[in-house]
Amino acid sequence: MIDLLLKGATLPDGRQGMDIACSGGRIAEVASGITGEAAQVVEAKGYLVSPPFIDAHFHMDATLSLGMPRLNNSGTLLEGIAVWGELKPLLTHEAVIERALRYCDLAVSQGLLAIRTHVDVCDDRLLCVEALLEVRKTVAPYIDLQIVAFPQDGFYRSPTARANLLRALDMGVDVVGGIPHGERTMADGAASLKELCEIAAARGLLVDIHCDESDDPWSRHVEALAYETQRLGLQGRVVGSHLTSMHSMDNYYASKLIGLIAESGMHATPNPLINITLQGRHDTYPKRRGMTRVPELRSAGVNVSFGHDCVMDPWYPLGQGDMLEAASMGLHVGLMTSPEAMRWAFDAVTVNPARALHLEGYGLEKGCNADFVLLQAKNPVEAIRLKANRLKVVRRGEVIAETPERVAALRLPGRPEAVNGADYAPAATSQKTRP
Ligand code: FE2
């Protein structure tokens, strides 16, 4: 018996007229012309079906706190950290949970069903850790939430961060985080990476480091992170997040560094929406873009994902949990407008972060979890262009969110009435040719 049968969809690889049959929460078959009785049938009408969006880098403890207790007036990373520091003593368990759940609701409506969030452990109460562990349990039926122990004020620079990080891991936090550029010296930053990677190796955990989120070309902790990754045999288990100093580095050094990153098997997670606004704030003109070297990392074989990082918090006043927006900004900032690179940007918010997060059962093949999103677009690039409507969001074979198909009815003077669907553009008309 089929629980849900999606009929007539286009797959991300371009195959058209495809059906997906779901049984017992898994994908039972992907083929054209699947027959058999189904409890629910969804007609895809040729639209694109994709595995769910994934956000490889987020801060759920701070989300939707914009203006609390005040706005970030300079727009810099450092003032954002200061504002967050002012809010931290005022946080309550209930308020953190309420904001996080509100964001998770938004995420589901956007087809965003897996999120790696960092949680600040530089608060001796570990209030945000307790809150997000509770949120992880609450949302488990519909969102895979991974939590990273993140010492926002510095693993060594904050006197209790080390003890708090270890306590957070003991409480069940999934991933080891760090912020080497926030330590007092380059030497302390490198030492923090050594110890954090050793903690992860000893506990069998993954690593995700805020690494060189700076415009300083001499902030070179990425090199140390790549070194520790290969030294400890953590290939494939470590993510370098942000990596913005690479934008400002000397080209020769960057060419060496990218080779070291590739050799170490590190993943990279730039956050284009955030870093295009946070970085370059000390520049006059030209202003640096503040995104790491995505095309070059790709070319070297590094697995790159785009993260959202923030939504309406001290660091970023916009956002709506739409990973297509992150993909769009990423390809713009990276000057990646070839058809191949734009298509790749869709992978950077779907299959690439699935690898970085070590998600199991992700994909649209037989046997995978029956999780997918039906988008009002004909292909991945059109989905990015339109920030396409999420017509259906399916989790374990059940529709958990839906949005009506968006159609514009045009009544223009001197023109025939028209109805336009996916791209909201005037219907194609034949080109008039001159006699
Ligand atoms: Fe971040």
Side-chain angles (χ1 to χ4, degrees), residues 117-137:
T117 179
H118 295 253
V119 62
D120 187 358
V121 297
C122 292
D123 172 359
D124 293 346
R125 299 173 298 168
L126 292 184
L127 180 143
C128 290
V129 173
E130 282 181 354
L132 290 194
L133 286 170
E134 206 172 311
V135 169
R136 185 177 69 182
K137 201 187 295 177

Side-chain angles (χ1 to χ4, degrees), residues 297-315:
L297 285 165
R298 273 193 73 204
S299 297
V302 177
N303 181 46
V304 181
S305 312
F306 288 136
H308 204 306
D309 202 9
C310 302
V311 169
M312 297 187 74
D313 70 7
W315 298 276

Side-chain angles (χ1 to χ4, degrees), residues 259-330:
L260 291 172
I261 294 171
E263 178 190 286
S264 74
M266 264 172 64
H267 308 270
T269 302
N271 298 286
L273 287 162
I274 307 310
N275 289 124
I276 195 66
T277 59
L278 287 179
Q279 310 309 131
R281 292 274 179 169
H282 298 268
D283 295 353
T284 53
Y285 287 94
K287 291 182 188 293
R288 282 167 287 179
R289 286 163 183 260
M291 188 166 83
T292 195
R293 303 186 184 209
V294 174
E296 293 78 8
L297 285 165
R298 273 193 73 204
S299 297
V302 177
N303 181 46
V304 181
S305 312
F306 288 136
H308 204 306
D309 202 9
C310 302
V311 169
M312 297 187 74
D313 70 7
W315 298 276
Y316 188 59
L318 296 165
Q320 53 174 343
D322 183 355
M323 294 312 296
L324 290 171
E325 209 177 324
S328 177
M329 182 59 79

Side-chain angles (χ1 to χ4, degrees), residues 72-361:
N72 176 348
N73 295 312
S74 67
T76 60
L77 171 68
L78 294 180
E79 187 175 345
I81 294 171
V83 172
W84 172 241
E86 290 166 36
L87 177 59
K88 268 197 273 190
L90 309 175
L91 293 172
T92 67
H93 183 78
E94 294 71 25
V96 174
I97 288 179
E98 188 272 331
R99 285 191 283 101
L101 288 179
R102 223 162 3 109
Y103 184 76
C104 287
D105 290 350
L106 179 63
V108 168
S109 71
Q110 300 280 25
L112 171 52
L113 302 187
I115 301 172
R116 174 178 277 184
T117 179
H118 295 253
V119 62
D120 187 358
V121 297
C122 292
D123 172 359
D124 293 346
R125 299 173 298 168
L126 292 184
L127 180 143
C128 290
V129 173
E130 282 181 354
L132 290 194
L133 286 170
E134 206 172 311
V135 169
R136 185 177 69 182
K137 201 187 295 177
T138 304
V139 304
Y142 51 95
I143 291 179
D144 296 307
L145 186 62
Q146 273 187 9
I147 308 177
V148 186
F150 174 49
Q152 172 75 77
D153 300 330
F155 185 61
Y156 292 140
R157 190 171 179 180
S158 169
T160 54
R162 188 179 178 282
N164 289 350
L165 181 134
L166 293 172
R167 275 170 57 213
L169 296 177
D170 289 341
M171 288 162 68
V173 167
D174 308 279
V175 181
V176 178
I179 182 166
H181 56 279
E183 306 294 349
R184 289 190 178 88
T185 63
M186 281 291 290
D188 268 7
S192 78
L193 291 175
K194 180 172 185 289
E195 185 169 357
L196 289 163
C197 288
E198 285 171 353
I199 290 168
R203 291 178 179 238
L205 298 176
L206 303 177
V207 177
D208 194 325
I209 302 289
H210 281 67
C211 203
D212 296 338
E213 188 179 7
S214 159
D215 291 325
D216 174 7
W218 298 100
S219 187
R220 293 183 169 185
H221 297 101
V222 189
E223 178 184 283
L225 183 59
Y227 174 77
E228 295 301 335
T229 301
Q230 63 81 29
R231 180 178 74 87
L232 294 163
L234 293 172
Q235 287 85 352
R237 303 178 61 78
V238 175
V239 173
S241 282
H242 295 289
L243 312 178
T244 56
S245 68
M246 287 177 68
H247 186 91
S248 300
M249 285 172 183
D250 166 73
N251 285 339
Y252 183 83
Y253 175 70
S255 71
K256 177 196 171 194
L257 179 62
I258 288 168
L260 291 172
I261 294 171
E263 178 190 286
S264 74
M266 264 172 64
H267 308 270
T269 302
N271 298 286
L273 287 162
I274 307 310
N275 289 124
I276 195 66
T277 59
L278 287 179
Q279 310 309 131
R281 292 274 179 169
H282 298 268
D283 295 353
T284 53
Y285 287 94
K287 291 182 188 293
R288 282 167 287 179
R289 286 163 183 260
M291 188 166 83
T292 195
R293 303 186 184 209
V294 174
E296 293 78 8
L297 285 165
R298 273 193 73 204
S299 297
V302 177
N303 181 46
V304 181
S305 312
F306 288 136
H308 204 306
D309 202 9
C310 302
V311 169
M312 297 187 74
D313 70 7
W315 298 276
Y316 188 59
L318 296 165
Q320 53 174 343
D322 183 355
M323 294 312 296
L324 290 171
E325 209 177 324
S328 177
M329 182 59 79
L331 75 85
H332 280 84
V333 178
L335 306 178
M336 299 168 71
T337 48
S338 73
E340 185 276 334
M342 291 195 291
R343 172 64 189 82
W344 171 88
F346 192 84
D347 288 346
V349 293
T350 52
V351 294
N352 295 2
R355 275 177 65 201
L357 271 61
H358 289 223
L359 291 185
E360 288 175 7

